[in-house]
Amino acid sequence: MFAVAHALRFCTRLKGISPKDALEEIKTFVADVQLTDKAHAYAGTLSGGQKRKLSVALSFVGGAKLVILDEPTAGVDPSARRAIWDLLLHYRKNRTLILSTHHMDEADLLCDRIAIMAAGRLCCIGNSMFLKKTFGAGYNITVCLDRVHSQSLVPPFFSCSSLPLLSSPFSSHSALFYNCRWRKLRPLWFHMFHPPV
């Protein structure tokens, strides 16, 4: 079993990095993945999020130009997930990064092009904006109320009678929920900020 620093050193040597350069790179990566205090701890003793960070560092160490990651944030808490996103955004410059994920927000943030597969078949491919415009359901809009709502409490620009751009609201005891399709988004914003006199 390797310690964190030993695992990174092993990968740098496999990729032909000189011992001197490897030492500097290991220090940089250990600091970047916030494992400085765990540099000499065995990888098996790390938490799930720390193991994920270490695996990301192992992927990028040694100047790799092509990096393939399989669900790099699976099974980690939200803060560790955000930290891994920051690492990927930081390290992806001048590299080709291919990753698989079940989270569309992750793909939206990290990827220039997104391919969606179902049952082993490629369904669509394109950038985030293209996929949202073509297949997305638009925006969900929630209007929160201080007390049990009535029609008189709903802001005028959310009235379906004066603005037939929104779906009929689904209501709970303290909120109204609308959906606005992408093609209706521009007139919605115009109506909100330029209400009829």
Side-chain angles (χ1 to χ4, degrees):
M1 184 183 293
F2 282 125
V4 170
H6 294 157
L8 290 167
R9 184 179 298 117
F10 179 74
C11 284
T12 56
R13 299 298 291 137
L14 279 180
K15 295 177 182 180
I17 307 298
S18 69
K20 183 180 178 181
D21 293 338
L23 187 60
E24 290 301 315
E25 191 164 358
I26 290 165
K27 287 180 180 178
T28 301
F29 272 92
V30 167
D32 286 349
V33 297
Q34 301 170 349
L35 293 176
T36 305
D37 58 333
K38 298 284 187 179
H40 301 291
Y42 287 120
T45 65
L46 301 178
S47 67
Q50 290 171 334
K51 288 178 182 177
R52 289 287 179 178
K53 290 179 184 178
L54 176 59
S55 67
V56 169
L58 291 171
S59 301
F60 285 101
V61 77
K65 295 300 182 184
L66 172 63
V67 177
I68 301 173
L69 299 170
D70 182 25
E71 299 188 38
T73 61
V76 299
D77 61 80
S79 62
R81 188 169 175 233
R82 180 73 242 189
I84 293 171
W85 286 357
D86 291 339
L87 289 172
L88 297 177
L89 290 170
H90 175 69
Y91 287 134
R92 76 176 187 170
K93 186 177 180 181
N94 299 323
R95 291 181 167 98
T96 299
L97 177 61
I98 301 172
L99 66 89
S100 65
T101 180
H102 287 289
H103 304 288
M104 281 305 297
D105 58 337
E106 184 166 279
D108 193 15
L109 176 69
L110 299 175
C111 301
D112 299 316
R113 287 176 64 77
I114 300 170
I116 297 178
M117 298 185 70
R121 301 187 66 177
L122 182 64
C123 298
C124 57
I125 187 169
N127 62 35
S128 176
M129 187 57 67
F130 167 77
L131 295 177
K132 286 177 181 177
K133 283 185 175 180
T134 308
F135 304 104
Y139 278 103
N140 291 321
I141 301 171
T142 304
V143 180
C144 297
L145 305 172
D146 289 336
R147 57 187 184 276
V148 177
H149 67 266
S150 67
Q151 286 293 358
S152 62
L153 294 174
V154 180
F157 50 78
F158 282 110
S159 169
C160 289
S161 60
S162 65
L163 183 61
L165 303 174
L166 298 168
S167 64
S168 298
F170 165 75
S171 61
S172 71
H173 70 284
S174 60
L176 296 173
F177 304 93
Y178 299 87
N179 177 266
C180 181
R181 300 287 296 183
W182 277 95
R183 67 181 181 276
K184 298 177 179 179
L185 199 54
R186 182 174 292 180
L188 172 63
W189 284 115
F190 181 83
H191 195 94
M192 286 174 66
F193 294 105
H194 301 85
V197 178

